[in-house]
Amino acid sequence: MKPAPFEYHAPDSLEAALALRAEHGDEAKALAGGQSLIPAMNFRIAQPALLVDLNGVDELRFIRMEGDELRIGAMTTQNTLERSELAAKHQPLLFETVPFVAHPQIRNRGTLGGSIAHADPAAELPVAAVALDARMKAQSVDGERWIPAKQFFQGFFTVDLQPNEYLTEIAFPAMPPRTGWSFMEVARRHGDYAMCGVAARVTLDGKGKCKAARLVYLNVGEGPVDAEGAAALLVGEKITPESSAAAAEKASAEISPFGSVHASPEYQTHLARVLTKRALRRAHERAQAAS
Amino acid sequence: MTDSLKLHFTINGQEHHGEAEPRLLLVDYIRHHLGLTGSHVGCEHGVCGACTILLDGQPVRSCLMFAVQANGREIRTVESLGTPEAMHLLQEAFHAAHGLQCGFCTPGFLMTLVPYLEEHPNPSEDEIRHAISGNICRCTGYQHIVDAIVLAAQKMNA
């Protein structure tokens, strides 16, 4: 239960961190909050040869508005995010999701960028990022590129980052007017990995019908599962118990839960149906309040 | 083996200079190199909370940090709270309300709760249970821990 030896670098600038990444490529594993990586190292599931500790790179810790986008530095801790007035005001779905991440002691170290780059299928923040159509900024010594959340997540613990790139920033575009949101999950104990969870977003038109919807699920697939079919069923409809139930049924066919010692795939599917209906009701109420 | 790196931090108000191999966990450094054995090693993967310490005033898992990452930071462990003769108010409350049996988890609970009660001087029982969700106790069933925290909050506000 002790990590294998590794070479340790603690750069104090992004430039220095990216230079190490350019020199060592995939060997240069980024150490963000360490709340997933260090447990894996303690168990020796992960044995990186070289760690680039990004905790000294202060320029990656920020929360600011650029136009109507909320821009968050990758090394911003989850604790900072859950206390951010900017996040509360401009990205309420993200703000509502953060306290579901593990425990307060973990959120004091864990970062937004670390959680997103780690891409655990059971993680909350990747799901919120997909539901909000966030964009990821990948940087290397050669420059930067922006990747839509949906393309960024490529499967089990796999993201679209090249061996010379680090994730440095996440941009959350403003939600359209008349939009409501909800994040819900079911875990055996608060802070445990959830057996299922959903981020829902509903935008209403001037007549109170659904103009656009998103339903994105956690821990029922290889990454965030975007139930596009279920969301499409809602467009043009009123959000009612009946239309929500139809969407829930459709979503239950779009997910592929693996099951675990705590929940069978059937039970996870049941949870997805129930959570879909509850989350749509809550998101709809909020969309109406915003109309 | 990799070479040891120099480190310096403040622990329980004292400046400390030392060195550690990068892979050495902070909790192991605190226990084995500094001899402060109040922070306990339970699960070593961030689940049990027995190793919780304060890093710049915030509770964190000392099993999920390397010692070298504490450079320049301020650490507080359970040893900073009180002595058997003059216990911290929270320790007194745990004693009075039977908030522990074997005591293995207690340092982690205390270090989680010290900043929590400063920020939330009057928590409800539900809020308390939420606040301690990151600490596992296998003896008490939690009820007496919750009682102890209610008692500590009352004493703090008195």
Side-chain angles (χ1 to χ4, degrees):
Chain A
M1 290 284 292
K2 303 295 170 194
F6 55 85
E7 195 180 322
Y8 176 78
H9 292 271
D12 59 3
S13 72
L14 180 58
E15 195 185 350
L18 293 177
L20 283 162
R21 180 73 159 158
E23 187 185 345
H24 298 282
D26 265 343
E27 291 247 293
K29 183 84 183 151
L31 174 59
Q35 304 299 288
S36 300
L37 178 59
I38 297 180
M41 290 176 69
N42 286 352
F43 284 123
R44 300 208 179 185
I45 296 165
Q47 300 191 12
L50 190 155
L51 281 189
V52 178
D53 184 348
L54 299 177
N55 283 280
V57 183
D58 288 339
E59 65 207 278
L60 294 180
R61 297 187 198 272
F62 60 84
I63 302 177
R64 62 175 174 245
M65 293 298 290
E66 265 181 50
D68 59 4
E69 270 190 338
L70 187 70
R71 297 285 189 92
I72 305 176
M75 287 299 293
T76 303
T77 64
Q78 293 145 7
N79 172 299
T80 305
L81 201 48
E82 75 183 279
R83 290 154 189 262
S84 160
E85 285 175 25
L86 273 182
K89 181 166 175 222
H90 296 283
Q91 290 295 342
L93 171 57
L94 176 67
F95 188 75
E96 181 166 278
T97 304
V98 180
F100 285 96
V101 179
H103 307 290
Q105 300 95 329
I106 302 288
R107 296 197 296 276
N108 282 338
R109 294 286 294 169
T111 64
L112 175 65
S115 173
I116 283 179
H118 184 54
D120 189 322
E124 289 84 1
L125 297 173
V127 162
V130 171
L132 289 165
D133 294 319
R135 299 181 304 134
M136 315 300 172
K137 183 179 179 179
Q139 269 184 275
S140 72
V141 288
D142 299 325
E144 62 178 63
R145 65 191 176 105
W146 286 92
I147 308 144
K150 205 152 169 198
Q151 273 104 281
F152 188 75
F153 297 104
Q154 299 187 325
F156 271 126
F157 301 99
T158 308
V159 295
D160 179 13
L161 281 179
Q162 297 302 311
N164 65 340
E165 290 174 332
Y166 282 141
L167 172 65
T168 56
E169 183 176 337
I170 300 98
F172 293 88
M175 292 196 293
R178 294 193 291 273
T179 296
W181 69 92
S182 178
F183 180 89
M184 293 180 181
E185 69 175 33
V186 176
R188 292 184 76 226
R189 289 168 295 261
H190 182 87
D192 282 11
Y193 285 114
M195 295 177 282
C196 184
V198 63
R201 218 176 99 177
V202 170
T203 303
L204 299 177
D205 64 17
K207 292 175 183 153
K209 284 185 178 170
C210 176
K211 189 174 164 190
R214 295 298 292 274
L215 290 163
V216 187
Y217 298 82
L218 65 81
N219 213 8
V220 288
E222 294 190 2
V225 178
D226 188 0
E228 289 179 323
L233 277 186
L234 295 165
V235 175
E237 303 289 327
K238 289 229 176 210
I239 305 284
T240 60
E242 291 73 29
S243 67
S244 299
E249 203 49 45
K250 178 76 178 164
S252 72
E254 291 183 82
I255 60 173
S256 28
F258 301 104
S260 71
V261 65
H262 299 309
S264 65
E266 292 74 22
Y267 182 54
Q268 286 180 288
T269 304
H270 167 73
L271 290 177
R273 283 198 198 95
V274 173
L275 287 172
T276 303
K277 289 184 268 188
R278 286 185 192 166
L280 280 173
R281 188 167 66 211
R282 186 85 185 98
H284 183 230
E285 286 164 5
R286 283 169 163 163
Q288 284 178 314
S291 297
Chain B
M1 285 285 285
T2 46
D3 290 340
S4 289
L5 300 176
K6 290 212 179 312
L7 51 82
H8 66 96
F9 50 72
T10 308
I11 182 152
N12 300 337
Q14 307 260 309
E15 286 271 334
H16 173 75
H17 290 265
E19 54 182 58
E21 207 188 339
R23 65 169 167 158
L24 187 66
L25 299 173
L26 179 58
V27 68
D28 290 330
Y29 189 85
I30 290 171
R31 289 174 55 84
H32 303 306
H33 293 249
L34 300 176
L36 299 171
T37 53
S39 306
H40 291 163
V41 178
C43 71
E44 291 193 280
H45 63 292
V47 174
C48 77
C51 70
T52 303
I53 58 159
L54 299 186
L55 181 73
D56 293 338
Q58 290 185 327
V60 301
R61 307 290 203 223
S62 58
C63 75
L64 297 189
M65 273 186 74
F66 299 111
V68 291
Q69 293 190 285
N71 253 327
R73 314 292 289 268
E74 194 188 324
I75 294 169
R76 277 185 70 192
T77 66
V78 70
E79 284 86 352
S80 71
L81 290 190
T83 62
E85 296 74 37
M87 288 194 285
H88 186 276
L89 188 147
L90 198 55
Q91 290 169 315
E92 277 176 6
F94 267 65
H95 180 238
H98 252 301
L100 65 151
Q101 287 177 32
C102 87
F104 186 86
C105 67
T106 313
F109 273 90
L110 296 173
M111 298 318 281
T112 295
L113 288 163
V114 165
Y116 179 78
L117 285 177
E118 278 166 20
E119 204 176 342
H120 307 87
N122 212 355
S124 69
E125 191 176 318
D126 264 3
E127 288 166 339
I128 288 171
R129 287 182 181 275
H130 205 269
I132 60 174
S133 67
N135 293 81
I136 290 176
C137 170
R138 291 301 191 215
C139 298
T140 61
Y142 301 99
Q143 187 54 51
H144 287 188
I145 295 179
V146 174
D147 293 346
I149 300 163
V150 169
L151 181 64
Q154 284 168 354
K155 283 187 170 177
M156 272 173 58
N157 295 328

